[in-house]
Amino acid sequence: KMKILISACLLGIPCRYDGKAKPQPWAEALAARHDIVPVCPEQLGGLPTPRTPSERRGDRVVMNTGADVTEQYRRGAEAALRLCRLTGCEAEEVVRLARLYGARAAILKERSPSCGCGEIYDGSFSGTLTAGDGVTAELLRKNGIPVYGESHVAALLD
Ligand code: SF4
């Protein structure tokens, strides 16, 4: 069994910017086999649902109105990291072992400015993708927590 932090929208929770969810067919199988900890970093950072779409621009996060929401994204990322640690294993040695044995991980919604991992929208609100992580995915990865997108879940279920 692994402890897995997961984007709440992937479990069918309507927490996305458009007030909808992105439920995944594997959600029940994952929950049956692992301990899952659902988070929505954007809600945890104090943003409303529905909310104006945002994208990363370098170190900042901006809404398509131009409003800067970097602080809310940063707070959401810190909250997700805290929950990951509280529910997982915090001590240095345990984290090392956890990494060795893959004892915990995060499954985060691909391409989101919070949860996206490896590929996100480029900040021009034109649907163009660029290499990079969402704010939460970046913080988790910096803290040694492996992050997977929803299209890689089959490997975790094996
Ligand atoms: Fe929340 Fe992440 Fe899903 Fe966006 S992708 S709705 S921040 S859980």
Side-chain angles (χ1 to χ4, degrees), residues 6-10 13-17 20 22 39-43 51 73 108-116 136:
I6 182 162
S7 296
C9 59
L10 298 177
I13 307 303
C15 54
R16 298 186 78 217
Y17 71 94
K20 294 183 181 156
K22 271 278 174 192
V39 295
C40 174
E42 289 170 20
Q43 288 188 338
R51 53 191 167 274
Y73 274 70
L108 300 184
K109 174 75 190 72
E110 289 162 2
R111 297 178 291 280
S112 149
S114 289
C115 296
T136 296

Side-chain angles (χ1 to χ4, degrees), residues 101-136:
Y101 295 107
R104 64 176 189 175
I107 297 171
L108 300 184
K109 174 75 190 72
E110 289 162 2
R111 297 178 291 280
S112 149
S114 289
C115 296
C117 179
E119 199 180 44
I120 51 172
Y121 292 107
D122 71 352
S124 65
F125 295 96
S126 62
T128 312
L129 290 165
T130 185
D133 289 339
V135 178
T136 296

